[in-house]
Amino acid sequence: MTHTAQQRTDVEGVDGGVGLTALLVAAARAIETHRHDSLAQDTYAEHFVRAAPACADWPVRIEQVPAGDDDPLWGRFARYFGLRTRVLDDFLLRSVRTNARQVVLLGAGLDTRAFRLDWPSGVAVFEIDRAGVLAFKEQVLTDLSAAPKVKRLLVPVDLRADWVGALTTAGFDPTAPSVWLAEGLLFYLPGPAETYLIDTVDRLTTGGSALAFEAKLEKDLLAYRDSAIYTATREQIGIDLLRLFDTAPRPDSAGDLTARGWSTSMHTPFDFTRLHRRGPLPEPNDALEGNRWVFAHKPRA
Ligand code: SAM
């Protein structure tokens, strides 16, 4: 089977390139939603998968996967995304309950937290992604007559450009506390765009604000090319993650934030698997080995 559209890296919407990875995560969340022991519920996720021609035949339930949980893509990798969704749901809700009034989802993709989480009143959620991805998302949500549970603002912009103006024009207030999320994003960006993003988050935040992001610490990502996850994702659905990732050396964003006075903690996903008693555990030649979830808090002055 060839996957021509999927393998193009220059696609603006969700039909290929990095936009299609948003659908991969949506399919994983759909599968997680239907599990009897699900860690996160996203009833919108399967509608995105079904609406996009590029993935109309992907599974949205584990029962539709012949190998079930033994499938490296729809079993272990999808469970990884389910766990990540839950952990970051918890982080965002904790942040808005204690301090933040604004939530910024960087590379939001098909994240439906604005629709599915119970937000305190007075919170605003900003969703940043490229225009084509957000247009697809809006079409699907409009067709479902979905109503957000929070004030929701879309910011269609490319995070490789200067995106601050777009965010402030949408209503973001740098003088009010905020919580930011870069979930499954930074490794797709060139190093200078990541450095700019971290610098910008520091510049636009007051004390008491927070940021969570996902990083990959491997020195040589290509060494994992034959891992079960990368191989299955490439061969089963035509997404070659290693072609989409920026494989140049990464900035040390956790270290940069620490140097700026933020308190940071770094966890492996496996830490949370043990906490929730569900999710992936380490395995040999593991594409998830270098994945870290970083939680950063800016102290009050
Ligand atoms: N955060 C979402 C989630 O976890 O469901 C989406 C993750 S998906 C793997 C990566 C997302 O990052 C895609 O929606 C993609 O469009 C977005 N993205 C990648 N590069 C971007 C860029 N330069 N500007 C804006 N968004 C970008």
Side-chain angles (χ1 to χ4, degrees):
M1 185 175 181
T2 56
H3 299 276
T4 316
Q6 286 93 325
Q7 282 165 6
R8 283 177 49 203
T9 52
D10 57 343
V11 179
E12 264 299 305
V14 293
D15 297 329
V18 74
L20 188 59
T21 66
L23 281 164
L24 163 60
V25 184
R29 278 199 284 260
I31 290 173
E32 183 69 27
T33 298
H34 292 297
R35 283 183 179 278
H36 68 89
D37 61 349
S38 96
L39 286 165
Q41 288 285 313
D42 182 350
T43 55
Y44 303 97
E46 68 181 273
H47 294 279
F48 295 123
V49 178
R50 289 293 169 251
C55 60
D57 59 346
W58 292 4
V60 292
R61 292 172 178 263
I62 196 66
E63 294 78 11
Q64 297 165 343
V65 181
D69 281 332
D70 291 336
D71 187 289
L73 168 57
W74 300 122
R76 186 167 183 263
F77 203 18
R79 203 86 237 233
Y80 171 80
F81 291 123
L83 177 69
R84 187 178 81 179
T85 302
R86 167 61 179 276
V87 169
L88 297 173
D89 281 0
D90 291 348
F91 166 77
L92 291 174
L93 287 175
R94 256 193 326 270
S95 300
V96 293
R97 283 174 191 148
T98 49
N99 207 31
R101 293 337 268 157
Q102 306 175 98
V103 180
V104 184
L105 304 174
L106 297 154
L110 304 174
D111 179 321
T112 57
R113 290 187 170 98
F115 296 80
R116 60 184 184 78
L117 297 185
D118 287 322
W119 301 97
S121 61
V123 168
V125 173
F126 297 83
E127 298 183 8
I128 303 184
D129 209 301
R130 291 173 313 145
V133 173
L134 292 181
F136 168 78
K137 181 177 188 176
E138 285 321 281
Q139 187 60 58
V140 174
L141 291 168
T142 303
D143 289 350
L144 292 170
S145 306
K149 295 182 174 182
V150 69
K151 183 173 177 192
R152 173 173 177 255
L153 302 124
L154 299 185
V155 188
V157 68
D158 194 309
L159 289 161
R160 290 168 295 186
D162 178 357
W163 45 270
V164 174
L167 181 60
T168 49
T169 302
F172 180 82
D173 175 6
T175 65
S178 50
V179 56
W180 302 63
L181 180 61
E183 179 182 21
L185 170 72
L186 295 183
F187 24 82
Y188 297 105
L189 297 181
E194 176 173 340
T195 303
Y196 175 77
L197 182 149
I198 296 295
D199 178 60
T200 303
V201 172
D202 184 43
R203 201 154 43 86
L204 296 188
T205 42
T206 58
S209 296
L211 162 71
F213 63 91
E214 188 180 30
K216 287 185 77 61
L217 299 189
E218 298 93 336
K219 288 278 168 281
D220 178 15
L221 280 169
L222 297 175
Y224 295 82
R225 186 158 187 79
D226 296 331
S227 65
I229 279 182
Y230 290 146
T231 303
T233 307
R234 201 167 54 233
E235 292 183 355
Q236 292 183 41
I237 57 172
I239 300 181
D240 188 345
L241 288 168
L242 291 171
R243 277 187 68 207
L244 297 171
F245 292 164
D246 187 298
T247 49
R250 306 304 309 172
D252 175 10
S253 293
D256 289 351
L257 287 165
T258 308
R260 291 163 189 259
W262 291 59
S263 68
T264 58
S265 63
M266 188 180 282
H267 296 268
T268 69
F270 311 124
D271 295 338
F272 292 98
T273 296
R274 292 178 188 111
L275 181 73
H276 289 287
R277 299 175 195 276
R278 271 163 271 167
L281 286 166
E283 65 178 32
N285 187 20
D286 192 352
L288 302 177
E289 186 175 335
N291 286 36
R292 295 293 182 275
W293 296 341
V294 179
F295 303 88
H297 293 88
K298 189 172 192 168
R300 290 166 213 276

